């Protein structure tokens, strides 16, 4: 009987301890970034997020983007049912980073730069600006002995450390990420006149 009373006495304490542990867990939010890029590590996931400015109002910008996006290499808008007037969703598939146009080409970058990327794209439109968020960046068919899944693997698996809480700051990782950032930055820039001449 004494044991039963003692256990009943301890039961509320153990319940409070469990609830306290659950309630105090907070997601970390933005954990790390590479200075001068639009790449951030948020909740252990690598994202490209950039706000582009424009002279157009909200409606004009939405129309311009709908005309422009089909010219973006390897990009496709999602089904029309998933779109709204001022929010567009799509995917990039089999996207190769053109490392040859950056500085010294492939010198000093990770081998993953040779493999295509897949990702989800979200474009949100306001007066005079639009934000591009590229998430779920997947490197296709790249093998690295430290990665268990040797087929399609999240980009952050290769360039983060400490359980994906920090971006590796070695020269190879930073240079590779800068190339990826430059490529995505250019690809979704509505104001780029170079895109017109390149694709003419």
């Amino acid at each position: 009987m004494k044991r039963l009373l003692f256990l009943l006495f301890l039961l509320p304490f153990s319940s409070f301890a469990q609830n306290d542990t659950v309630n105090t867990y907070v997601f970390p939010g933005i954990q790390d970034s590479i200075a001068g890029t639009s790449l951030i590590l948020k909740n252990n996931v690598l994202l490209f997020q950039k706000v582009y400015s424009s002279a157009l109002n909200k409606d004009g910008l939405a129309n311009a983007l709908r005309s422009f996006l089909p010219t973006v290499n390897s990009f496709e808008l999602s089904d029309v049912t998933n779109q709204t007037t001022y929010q567009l969703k799509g995917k990039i598939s089999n996207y190769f980073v053109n490392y040859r146009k950056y500085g010294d080409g492939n010198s000093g970058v990770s081998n993953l730069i040779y493999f295509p990327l897949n990702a989800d794209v979200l474009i949100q439109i306001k007066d005079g600006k639009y934000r591009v968020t590229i998430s779920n960046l997947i490197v296709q068919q790249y093998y690295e002995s430290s990665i268990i899944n040797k087929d399609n693997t999240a980009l952050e698996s290769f360039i983060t450390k400490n359980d994906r809480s920090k971006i590796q700051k070695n020269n190879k990782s930073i240079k590779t990420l800068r190339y990826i950032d430059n490529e995505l930055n250019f690809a979704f820039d509505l104001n780029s006149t170079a895109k017109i001449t390149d694709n003419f």
Side-chain angles (χ1 to χ4, degrees), residues 64-132:
L65 282 167
R66 285 183 186 278
S67 297
F68 164 73
L69 288 171
T71 69
V72 174
N73 185 31
S74 303
F75 175 79
E76 186 177 334
L77 278 172
S78 297
D79 191 308
V80 177
T81 56
N82 292 327
Q83 308 303 330
T84 67
T85 305
Y86 305 117
Q87 182 167 289
L88 306 172
K89 295 179 183 178
K91 290 187 176 294
I92 54 174
S93 302
N94 239 8
Y95 190 97
F96 283 89
V97 174
N98 185 0
Y99 56 84
R100 290 179 184 88
K101 68 181 179 183
Y102 303 115
D104 51 354
N106 62 348
S107 174
V109 297
S110 169
N111 287 337
L112 66 86
I113 206 76
Y114 302 118
F115 293 84
L117 294 172
N118 290 346
D120 297 323
V121 180
L122 174 66
I123 300 168
Q124 297 162 302
I125 305 163
K126 293 186 176 181
D127 281 328
K129 61 185 176 180
Y130 64 100
R131 181 171 69 180
V132 176

Side-chain angles (χ1 to χ4, degrees), residues 20-97:
D20 187 49
T21 303
V22 172
N23 291 336
T24 56
Y25 182 76
V26 178
F27 287 101
I30 295 177
Q31 299 156 283
D32 205 357
S33 63
I34 299 290
T37 74
S38 298
L39 292 168
I40 57 172
L41 188 66
K42 184 174 183 180
N43 297 329
N44 301 69
V45 175
L46 191 72
L47 303 172
F48 171 91
Q49 192 167 71
K50 181 173 176 69
V51 176
Y52 297 87
S53 60
S54 171
L56 300 171
N57 66 19
K58 200 172 184 181
D59 290 320
L61 190 49
N63 290 333
L65 282 167
R66 285 183 186 278
S67 297
F68 164 73
L69 288 171
T71 69
V72 174
N73 185 31
S74 303
F75 175 79
E76 186 177 334
L77 278 172
S78 297
D79 191 308
V80 177
T81 56
N82 292 327
Q83 308 303 330
T84 67
T85 305
Y86 305 117
Q87 182 167 289
L88 306 172
K89 295 179 183 178
K91 290 187 176 294
I92 54 174
S93 302
N94 239 8
Y95 190 97
F96 283 89
V97 174

Side-chain angles (χ1 to χ4, degrees), residues 28-33 41-45 156 160-169:
I30 295 177
Q31 299 156 283
D32 205 357
S33 63
L41 188 66
K42 184 174 183 180
N43 297 329
N44 301 69
V45 175
E156 59 267 14
T160 59
K161 60 183 180 180
N162 300 340
D163 294 324
R164 297 188 185 186
S165 65
K166 292 286 181 192
I167 295 173
Q168 294 178 20
K169 295 300 193 322

Side-chain angles (χ1 to χ4, degrees), residues 142-160:
Y142 174 58
Y143 171 83
E144 188 172 277
S145 59
S146 63
I147 306 300
I148 296 171
N149 179 358
K150 298 178 179 71
D151 190 11
N152 298 335
T153 307
L155 179 60
E156 59 267 14
S157 297
F158 302 107
I159 51 84
T160 59

